[in-house]
Amino acid sequence: MKKNKIAVAVALCMAAVLTACGGTAKTETTKAAGAETTKAGAETTKAAAETTKAGAESSAAGGKLVMVTNAEFPPYEYHDNNDIVGIDADIAKAIADKMGMELEIQDMAFDSLIPAVQSGKADFTAAGMTVNEDRKKNVDFTDTYAQAAQVIIVKDGSEIKAPADLDGKKIGVQTGTTGDIYAGDIKDGNIQRFNKGMEAVMALSQGKVDAVVIDREPAKVFVKENAGLKILDEAFTEEEYAIAVKKGNTELLEKMNAAIKELKDSGELQKIVDKYITAK
């Protein structure tokens, strides 16, 4: 009887040991499987993050830049059938190419350009725009890409020979342009504003104004196309052109400046200018 009790006790102990061992193995298996699942999940999350990052980079590289301009300012921007072409259009396209982006150009009134950039309707404006302190309050400018001057167009035989002779005269300008801004400094000047430079020149031809103040390069085109007009030798002002972006958009500004530098260093920018402006 005693032996039987001992045998039963031994059997019970062995059963307990086997149960404990089985429980431990099961726990270890579960822990291992859980760790593998967690690791696999982490790898999936990481892969998804990489995909998202790659997608974002791809989107940035293949995005669109919207440029606004006033296509009434040859040779910087003007219409060629349904296309807007010119120095600014070509430079903007070259910049967009270097940034790996598509360029879209929209045409609007000159005095609407900066508001369009400020509101986010456009990424930037390139429109033969002079850098000045008033505009710097509203937008940020890239490095300059062209030297320019405001000049005076008069009729052949006009008594106006120099900027000082504009005092008290009727002066035609294009609304919102640098010529418009600086013409305001003419003593007793009667400033007549027009939506397009050509409209101001036509008013001069018709005797409605005494002179037109406008950028030198468009002035050359207008004088060439309209007999009886000439450009005075003495410039009205000297100035610099740059691209305007929304104030505080440092990322776009830096990328555009880098592209402009590359275009200058490679000589590509000068080739664009030479394409539209021939020597006198």
Side-chain angles (χ1 to χ4, degrees):
M1 186 69 177
K2 185 175 181 181
K3 287 182 180 180
N4 289 338
K5 288 182 178 181
I6 292 174
V8 170
V10 170
L12 290 173
C13 286
M14 288 181 68
V17 170
L18 287 173
T19 301
C21 289
T24 300
K26 181 178 181 181
T27 300
E28 290 299 324
T29 301
T30 302
K31 286 173 65 179
E36 287 300 323
T37 301
T38 301
K39 182 179 178 182
E43 292 295 329
T44 301
T45 302
K46 182 179 179 182
E50 291 296 326
T51 301
T52 301
K53 181 180 177 182
E57 290 175 351
S58 175
S59 176
K64 179 188 293 184
L65 281 174
V66 177
M67 162 185 160
V68 287
T69 193
N70 176 233
E72 303 290 344
F73 200 61
Y76 286 94
E77 40 269 324
Y78 59 95
H79 289 279
D80 181 11
N81 295 321
N82 294 325
D83 297 323
I84 296 174
V85 300
I87 294 172
D88 286 336
D90 282 11
I91 289 175
K93 179 65 168 61
I95 289 172
D97 286 346
K98 288 190 175 298
M99 292 173 60
M101 302 184 77
E102 177 189 351
L103 178 68
E104 177 183 323
I105 303 178
Q106 299 178 4
D107 187 21
M108 62 179 61
F110 189 89
D111 56 359
S112 297
L113 299 178
I114 287 179
V117 173
Q118 288 178 303
S119 67
K121 181 178 180 180
D123 296 301
F124 68 95
T125 177
M129 186 170 287
T130 303
V131 179
N132 62 38
E133 293 307 314
D134 285 340
R135 288 173 179 157
K136 282 182 178 179
K137 295 175 184 177
N138 299 304
V139 291
D140 288 334
F141 282 101
T142 64
D143 296 334
T144 58
Y145 62 86
Q147 303 295 320
Q150 292 295 308
V151 297
I152 302 166
I153 305 176
V154 297
K155 280 186 173 184
D156 290 336
S158 172
E159 63 180 16
I160 299 172
K161 309 296 182 184
D165 298 330
L166 293 174
D167 293 354
K169 298 295 192 294
K170 290 183 180 179
I171 313 299
V173 298
Q174 183 180 358
T175 302
T177 61
T178 308
D180 183 4
I181 295 169
Y182 289 139
D185 296 331
I186 297 172
K187 183 179 179 181
D188 298 323
N190 182 353
I191 310 304
Q192 304 290 313
R193 294 177 172 84
F194 300 86
N195 289 328
K196 301 177 181 180
M198 176 56 79
E199 292 175 356
V201 172
M202 291 305 296
L204 174 61
S205 295
Q206 296 165 4
K208 296 178 180 179
V209 297
D210 300 308
V212 170
V213 175
I214 198 166
D215 180 270
R216 178 167 49 206
E217 298 308 328
K220 291 178 185 177
V221 176
F222 294 144
V223 168
K224 183 178 180 181
E225 294 177 348
N226 295 272
L229 303 181
K230 67 178 182 179
I231 299 171
L232 298 185
D233 291 335
E234 185 178 347
F236 188 64
T237 63
E238 298 289 340
E239 56 196 350
E240 296 180 327
Y241 286 167
I243 294 169
V245 304
K246 188 173 183 178
K247 204 157 189 65
N249 192 349
T250 54
E251 181 180 0
L252 179 58
L253 190 69
E254 289 172 1
K255 287 180 178 180
M256 296 191 89
N257 276 336
I260 290 171
K261 184 178 186 305
E262 286 183 32
L263 292 171
K264 285 181 178 179
D265 291 347
S266 67
E268 187 176 348
L269 192 147
Q270 189 58 50
K271 288 179 180 178
I272 292 173
V273 173
D274 291 344
K275 173 183 173 182
Y276 292 94
I277 299 178
T278 56
K280 293 181 179 180

Short mmCIF file of all heavy atoms in Angstrom, two decimals, residues 153-190:
data_model
loop_
_atom_site.label_atom_id
_atom_site.label_comp_id
_atom_site.label_asym_id
_atom_site.label_seq_id
_atom_site.Cartn_x
_atom_site.Cartn_y
_atom_site.Cartn_z
N ILE A 153 10.57 108.79 -74.73
CA ILE A 153 10.23 108.80 -76.16
C ILE A 153 9.51 110.11 -76.46
O ILE A 153 8.59 110.51 -75.73
CB ILE A 153 9.30 107.63 -76.54
CG1 ILE A 153 9.90 106.29 -76.12
CG2 ILE A 153 9.02 107.64 -78.04
CD1 ILE A 153 8.98 105.09 -76.38
N VAL A 154 9.93 110.78 -77.49
CA VAL A 154 9.28 112.03 -77.92
C VAL A 154 9.10 111.99 -79.44
O VAL A 154 9.66 111.14 -80.13
CB VAL A 154 10.11 113.27 -77.53
CG1 VAL A 154 10.23 113.40 -76.01
CG2 VAL A 154 11.49 113.21 -78.17
N LYS A 155 8.35 112.95 -79.96
CA LYS A 155 8.24 113.10 -81.40
C LYS A 155 9.48 113.76 -81.96
O LYS A 155 10.16 114.53 -81.27
CB LYS A 155 7.02 113.98 -81.73
CG LYS A 155 5.69 113.27 -81.69
CD LYS A 155 4.60 114.23 -82.19
CE LYS A 155 3.28 113.54 -82.34
NZ LYS A 155 2.24 114.44 -82.90
N ASP A 156 9.80 113.47 -83.20
CA ASP A 156 10.89 114.18 -83.87
C ASP A 156 10.58 115.68 -83.83
O ASP A 156 9.44 116.10 -84.07
CB ASP A 156 11.02 113.73 -85.33
CG ASP A 156 11.53 112.31 -85.46
OD1 ASP A 156 12.20 111.83 -84.51
OD2 ASP A 156 11.24 111.66 -86.48
N GLY A 157 11.61 116.47 -83.49
CA GLY A 157 11.43 117.92 -83.44
C GLY A 157 10.86 118.43 -82.14
O GLY A 157 10.59 119.64 -82.00
N SER A 158 10.66 117.56 -81.15
CA SER A 158 10.13 117.97 -79.86
C SER A 158 11.08 118.92 -79.14
O SER A 158 12.31 118.83 -79.28
CB SER A 158 9.89 116.74 -78.98
OG SER A 158 9.55 117.11 -77.66
N GLU A 159 10.52 119.83 -78.36
CA GLU A 159 11.34 120.75 -77.56
C GLU A 159 11.92 120.06 -76.33
O GLU A 159 12.76 120.61 -75.64
CB GLU A 159 10.49 121.96 -77.13
CG GLU A 159 9.33 121.59 -76.23
CD GLU A 159 8.49 122.77 -75.80
OE1 GLU A 159 8.60 123.84 -76.42
OE2 GLU A 159 7.72 122.62 -74.83
N ILE A 160 11.44 118.85 -76.06
CA ILE A 160 11.97 118.09 -74.93
C ILE A 160 13.27 117.41 -75.36
O ILE A 160 13.27 116.56 -76.25
CB ILE A 160 10.94 117.03 -74.46
CG1 ILE A 160 9.65 117.71 -74.00
CG2 ILE A 160 11.53 116.17 -73.33
CD1 ILE A 160 8.51 116.74 -73.70
N LYS A 161 14.38 117.80 -74.71
CA LYS A 161 15.70 117.29 -75.08
C LYS A 161 16.35 116.45 -73.97
O LYS A 161 17.30 115.72 -74.21
CB LYS A 161 16.64 118.44 -75.41
CG LYS A 161 16.09 119.45 -76.43
CD LYS A 161 15.88 118.81 -77.79
CE LYS A 161 15.38 119.84 -78.81
NZ LYS A 161 15.06 119.23 -80.12
N ALA A 162 15.82 116.59 -72.74
CA ALA A 162 16.41 115.91 -71.58
C ALA A 162 15.34 115.75 -70.51
O ALA A 162 14.27 116.38 -70.58
CB ALA A 162 17.58 116.73 -71.04
N PRO A 163 15.60 114.93 -69.50
CA PRO A 163 14.61 114.71 -68.44
C PRO A 163 14.13 116.00 -67.77
O PRO A 163 12.96 116.12 -67.42
CB PRO A 163 15.36 113.81 -67.45
CG PRO A 163 16.30 113.04 -68.30
CD PRO A 163 16.75 114.01 -69.35
N ALA A 164 15.02 116.97 -67.62
CA ALA A 164 14.64 118.23 -66.97
C ALA A 164 13.56 118.98 -67.74
O ALA A 164 12.81 119.77 -67.16
CB ALA A 164 15.87 119.11 -66.79
N ASP A 165 13.46 118.71 -69.03
CA ASP A 165 12.47 119.41 -69.87
C ASP A 165 11.06 118.84 -69.72
O ASP A 165 10.12 119.35 -70.35
CB ASP A 165 12.89 119.34 -71.35
CG ASP A 165 14.23 120.02 -71.60
OD1 ASP A 165 14.54 120.99 -70.87
OD2 ASP A 165 14.95 119.58 -72.51
N LEU A 166 10.90 117.79 -68.93
CA LEU A 166 9.58 117.17 -68.75
C LEU A 166 8.69 117.95 -67.78
O LEU A 166 7.48 117.71 -67.72
CB LEU A 166 9.73 115.73 -68.24
CG LEU A 166 10.37 114.73 -69.20
CD1 LEU A 166 10.57 113.39 -68.50
CD2 LEU A 166 9.51 114.54 -70.45
N ASP A 167 9.29 118.86 -67.02
CA ASP A 167 8.52 119.62 -66.04
C ASP A 167 7.33 120.31 -66.71
O ASP A 167 7.48 121.00 -67.73
CB ASP A 167 9.40 120.68 -65.37
CG ASP A 167 10.48 120.07 -64.49
OD1 ASP A 167 10.47 118.84 -64.33
OD2 ASP A 167 11.33 120.82 -63.97
N GLY A 168 6.14 120.09 -66.14
CA GLY A 168 4.94 120.74 -66.63
C GLY A 168 4.34 120.12 -67.89
O GLY A 168 3.37 120.64 -68.43
N LYS A 169 4.90 119.02 -68.37
CA LYS A 169 4.43 118.40 -69.62
C LYS A 169 3.46 117.25 -69.34
O LYS A 169 3.38 116.72 -68.23
CB LYS A 169 5.63 117.87 -70.42
CG LYS A 169 6.62 118.95 -70.84
CD LYS A 169 5.99 119.93 -71.81
CE LYS A 169 7.01 120.83 -72.48
NZ LYS A 169 7.68 121.74 -71.54
N LYS A 170 2.74 116.84 -70.37
CA LYS A 170 1.88 115.67 -70.30
C LYS A 170 2.73 114.43 -70.59
O LYS A 170 3.31 114.32 -71.68
CB LYS A 170 0.76 115.76 -71.33
CG LYS A 170 -0.29 116.82 -71.02
CD LYS A 170 -1.40 116.78 -72.07
CE LYS A 170 -2.46 117.82 -71.78
NZ LYS A 170 -3.54 117.80 -72.81
N ILE A 171 2.78 113.54 -69.62
CA ILE A 171 3.65 112.37 -69.72
C ILE A 171 2.82 111.09 -69.77
O ILE A 171 2.00 110.83 -68.87
CB ILE A 171 4.63 112.29 -68.53
CG1 ILE A 171 5.28 113.64 -68.27
CG2 ILE A 171 5.66 111.19 -68.77
CD1 ILE A 171 6.09 114.18 -69.42
N GLY A 172 3.01 110.28 -70.80
CA GLY A 172 2.32 109.00 -70.90
C GLY A 172 3.13 107.89 -70.25
O GLY A 172 4.35 107.80 -70.46
N VAL A 173 2.48 107.04 -69.46
CA VAL A 173 3.15 105.91 -68.81
C VAL A 173 2.21 104.70 -68.81
O VAL A 173 0.99 104.85 -68.99
CB VAL A 173 3.55 106.22 -67.35
CG1 VAL A 173 4.55 107.37 -67.29
CG2 VAL A 173 2.31 106.55 -66.51
N GLN A 174 2.78 103.51 -68.59
CA GLN A 174 1.96 102.31 -68.41
C GLN A 174 1.68 102.16 -66.93
O GLN A 174 2.59 102.19 -66.10
CB GLN A 174 2.67 101.07 -68.95
CG GLN A 174 1.82 99.81 -68.85
CD GLN A 174 2.53 98.58 -69.39
OE1 GLN A 174 3.64 98.65 -69.88
NE2 GLN A 174 1.86 97.44 -69.30
N THR A 175 0.42 101.97 -66.58
CA THR A 175 -0.02 101.91 -65.19
C THR A 175 0.76 100.88 -64.37
O THR A 175 0.90 99.73 -64.77
CB THR A 175 -1.51 101.56 -65.10
OG1 THR A 175 -2.26 102.54 -65.82
CG2 THR A 175 -1.98 101.54 -63.65
N GLY A 176 1.27 101.33 -63.22
CA GLY A 176 1.94 100.43 -62.28
C GLY A 176 3.39 100.13 -62.57
O GLY A 176 4.06 99.49 -61.76
N THR A 177 3.91 100.58 -63.71
CA THR A 177 5.30 100.29 -64.07
C THR A 177 6.24 101.27 -63.37
O THR A 177 5.82 102.24 -62.74
CB THR A 177 5.52 100.40 -65.58
OG1 THR A 177 5.22 101.75 -65.99
CG2 THR A 177 4.61 99.43 -66.33
N THR A 178 7.53 101.00 -63.51
CA THR A 178 8.53 101.88 -62.93
C THR A 178 8.43 103.28 -63.52
O THR A 178 8.62 104.29 -62.83
CB THR A 178 9.94 101.32 -63.17
OG1 THR A 178 9.97 99.97 -62.74
CG2 THR A 178 10.98 102.11 -62.40
N GLY A 179 8.14 103.35 -64.82
CA GLY A 179 7.96 104.65 -65.45
C GLY A 179 6.85 105.44 -64.78
O GLY A 179 6.97 106.66 -64.57
N ASP A 180 5.77 104.75 -64.43
CA ASP A 180 4.66 105.36 -63.73
C ASP A 180 5.11 105.89 -62.37
O ASP A 180 4.81 107.02 -61.97
CB ASP A 180 3.54 104.33 -63.57
CG ASP A 180 2.28 104.89 -62.90
OD1 ASP A 180 2.23 106.10 -62.62
OD2 ASP A 180 1.34 104.10 -62.69
N ILE A 181 5.86 105.06 -61.65
CA ILE A 181 6.32 105.43 -60.31
C ILE A 181 7.24 106.66 -60.36
O ILE A 181 7.03 107.65 -59.64
CB ILE A 181 7.06 104.26 -59.64
CG1 ILE A 181 6.08 103.10 -59.40
CG2 ILE A 181 7.71 104.70 -58.34
CD1 ILE A 181 6.74 101.81 -58.99
N TYR A 182 8.26 106.61 -61.23
CA TYR A 182 9.24 107.70 -61.27
C TYR A 182 8.69 108.96 -61.92
O TYR A 182 9.14 110.07 -61.61
CB TYR A 182 10.50 107.25 -61.99
CG TYR A 182 11.33 106.26 -61.19
CD1 TYR A 182 11.93 105.16 -61.79
CD2 TYR A 182 11.49 106.42 -59.82
CE1 TYR A 182 12.68 104.25 -61.06
CE2 TYR A 182 12.24 105.53 -59.07
CZ TYR A 182 12.83 104.44 -59.70
OH TYR A 182 13.57 103.55 -58.96
N ALA A 183 7.73 108.81 -62.81
CA ALA A 183 7.15 109.99 -63.46
C ALA A 183 6.45 110.88 -62.44
O ALA A 183 6.30 112.09 -62.65
CB ALA A 183 6.18 109.57 -64.55
N GLY A 184 6.05 110.28 -61.32
CA GLY A 184 5.42 111.06 -60.26
C GLY A 184 6.33 112.10 -59.66
O GLY A 184 5.86 113.03 -58.98
N ASP A 185 7.65 111.98 -59.90
CA ASP A 185 8.61 112.95 -59.36
C ASP A 185 8.80 114.15 -60.28
O ASP A 185 9.50 115.11 -59.93
CB ASP A 185 9.97 112.28 -59.14
CG ASP A 185 9.91 111.20 -58.07
OD1 ASP A 185 9.06 111.31 -57.16
OD2 ASP A 185 10.69 110.23 -58.16
N ILE A 186 8.21 114.11 -61.47
CA ILE A 186 8.35 115.22 -62.42
C ILE A 186 7.57 116.43 -61.90
O ILE A 186 6.38 116.33 -61.61
CB ILE A 186 7.85 114.82 -63.82
CG1 ILE A 186 8.69 113.67 -64.37
CG2 ILE A 186 7.89 116.01 -64.77
CD1 ILE A 186 8.17 113.07 -65.66
N LYS A 187 8.23 117.55 -61.82
CA LYS A 187 7.61 118.76 -61.29
C LYS A 187 6.45 119.21 -62.19
O LYS A 187 6.63 119.39 -63.39
CB LYS A 187 8.66 119.88 -61.19
CG LYS A 187 8.13 121.17 -60.57
CD LYS A 187 9.22 122.21 -60.48
CE LYS A 187 8.70 123.51 -59.89
NZ LYS A 187 9.76 124.55 -59.81
N ASP A 188 5.29 119.35 -61.58
CA ASP A 188 4.08 119.79 -62.29
C ASP A 188 3.76 118.90 -63.49
O ASP A 188 3.10 119.34 -64.44
CB ASP A 188 4.23 121.25 -62.77
CG ASP A 188 4.43 122.22 -61.60
OD1 ASP A 188 3.79 122.00 -60.56
OD2 ASP A 188 5.21 123.17 -61.75
N GLY A 189 4.21 117.65 -63.43
CA GLY A 189 3.93 116.73 -64.53
C GLY A 189 2.47 116.31 -64.56
O GLY A 189 1.87 116.06 -63.51
N ASN A 190 1.91 116.26 -65.74
CA ASN A 190 0.53 115.80 -65.92
C ASN A 190 0.61 114.36 -66.41
O ASN A 190 0.79 114.11 -67.61
CB ASN A 190 -0.20 116.69 -66.92
CG ASN A 190 -1.65 116.30 -67.12
OD1 ASN A 190 -2.10 115.28 -66.60
ND2 ASN A 190 -2.37 117.09 -67.88
#
